[in-house]
């Protein structure tokens, strides 16, 4: 089954659009947004409803968002390649969410925008949750004896905004009890299995009858993903 047929299954409206109309729309968006026709075509296959939208609306959404965030139009368009929803979400709504993140973390909006270009899904996340996760990473860094600001966190590893709170809390615990003494970035991106192995080593160091080991094991087990638990 071709990619185009798969796309038509998701949006049957493609079947009533002429090939010429779709090609013209792809060429128009390519010229206006600074993307290649291949990139725009791949975007249409990912989000078939794009072919039913007015090209002028799509271009307006991208250029308006770029202006609100102070980034280049082509950079904003490439961001949309990874998060197509940005093409139809209200630009002021997206920018408004990011302003809230900026205010909650006391980070200049351009720095938040730079993080979005690296991690586009940040634009669609709840600002309060984003701020909470970034602050927790600041605490992780502090527990390792290193100073890191919210801006450092977003610049160094914007993917932390996609992580679950349980994942981040376990890494804060690992830093707090000293089973990891390296950098915060390495700890945050460490796989659960590797982290669990370090916890197991720590339990053994406390002794088989240690109440502290039993307490920690129970705590870690509650927070660890089910497919990783021993």
């Amino acid at each position: 089954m071709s990619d185009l047929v798969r796309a038509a299954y998701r949006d049957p409206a493609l079947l009533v659009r002429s090939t010429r109309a779709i090609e013209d729309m792809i060429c128009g968006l390519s010229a206006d947004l600074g993307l290649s026709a291949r990139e725009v075509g791949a975007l249409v296959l990912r989000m078939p409803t794009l072919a039913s939208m007015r090209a002028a609306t799509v271009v307006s959404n991208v250029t308006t968002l770029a202006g609100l965030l102070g980034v280049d139009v082509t950079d904003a368009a490439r961001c949309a390649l990874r998060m197509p929803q940005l093409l139809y979400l209200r630009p002021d709504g997206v920018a408004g969410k990011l302003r809230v993140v900026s205010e909650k973390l006391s980070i200049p909006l351009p720095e938040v925008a730079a993080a979005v270009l690296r991690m586009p899904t940040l634009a669609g996340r709840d600002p309060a949750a984003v701020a909470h996760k970034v602050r927790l990473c600041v605490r992780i860094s502090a527990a390792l004896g290193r100073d890191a600001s919210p801006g450092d966190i977003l610049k160094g590893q914007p993917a932390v905004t996609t992580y679950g709170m349980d994942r981040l809390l376990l890494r804060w615990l690992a830093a707090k009890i000293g089973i990891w003494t390296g950098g915060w970035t390495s700890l945050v991106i460490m796989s659960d299995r590797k982290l669990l192995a370090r916890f197991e080593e720590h339990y053994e160091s406390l002794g088989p009858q240690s109440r502290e080991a039993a307490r920690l094991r129970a705590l870690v087990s509650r927070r660890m993903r089910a497919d990783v638990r021993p």
Side-chain angles (χ1 to χ4, degrees):
M1 184 182 295
S2 71
D3 291 337
L4 185 58
V5 173
R6 289 192 182 92
Y9 265 109
R10 293 164 57 196
D11 183 17
L14 278 178
L15 299 175
V16 299
R17 294 291 306 276
S18 69
T19 303
R20 180 59 181 272
I22 294 175
E23 288 177 348
D24 287 346
M25 184 270 295
I26 288 175
C27 289
L29 289 180
S30 173
D32 290 336
L33 299 179
L35 302 175
S36 70
R38 182 183 294 274
E39 288 173 319
V40 178
L43 190 56
V44 171
L45 293 177
R46 285 188 61 196
M47 194 181 80
T49 53
L50 180 61
S52 301
M53 295 176 63
R54 292 177 61 248
T57 300
V58 175
V59 173
S60 176
N61 285 347
V62 174
T63 54
T64 300
L65 180 61
L68 290 171
L69 298 182
V71 301
D72 184 77
V73 172
T74 300
D75 287 339
R78 292 195 181 285
C79 190
L81 289 177
R82 297 166 59 193
M83 187 181 173
Q85 297 93 319
L86 290 176
L87 296 175
Y88 61 79
L89 291 174
R90 287 175 46 233
D92 57 337
V94 175
K97 276 188 172 184
L98 298 178
R99 285 195 195 94
V100 174
V101 172
S102 170
E103 293 166 1
K104 284 182 174 293
L105 295 174
S106 299
I107 299 174
L109 183 59
E111 292 185 23
V112 178
V116 171
L117 294 182
R118 293 180 58 198
M119 181 59 57
T121 57
L122 173 58
R125 296 188 176 275
D126 174 55
V130 169
H132 193 40
K133 292 174 182 179
V134 170
R135 290 193 194 104
L136 182 50
C137 287
V138 170
R139 293 176 61 193
I140 291 171
S141 180
L144 292 170
R146 295 168 173 80
D147 292 329
S149 68
D152 294 331
I153 302 298
L154 274 185
K155 183 178 180 180
Q157 194 60 243
V160 299
T161 59
T162 70
Y163 294 163
M165 285 301 297
D166 282 343
R167 177 188 181 93
L168 295 178
L169 284 168
L170 282 175
R171 281 142 183 83
W172 171 81
L173 179 61
K176 198 71 175 175
I177 63 179
I179 65 174
W180 177 259
T181 57
W184 71 268
T185 304
S186 298
L187 177 56
V188 168
I189 67 175
M190 181 184 294
S191 73
D192 282 347
R193 293 189 184 281
K194 287 184 178 180
L195 183 64
L196 182 59
R198 287 182 175 272
F199 274 115
E200 291 291 346
E201 292 174 359
H202 184 65
Y203 305 150
E204 292 180 9
S205 72
L206 294 175
Q209 305 300 320
S210 169
R211 291 184 178 180
E212 178 65 11
R215 185 184 70 82
L216 280 173
R217 188 186 296 274
L219 176 60
V220 170
S221 181
R222 287 197 301 271
R223 297 287 185 179
M224 192 68 74
R225 294 195 340 261
D227 61 329
V228 179
R229 293 172 190 163

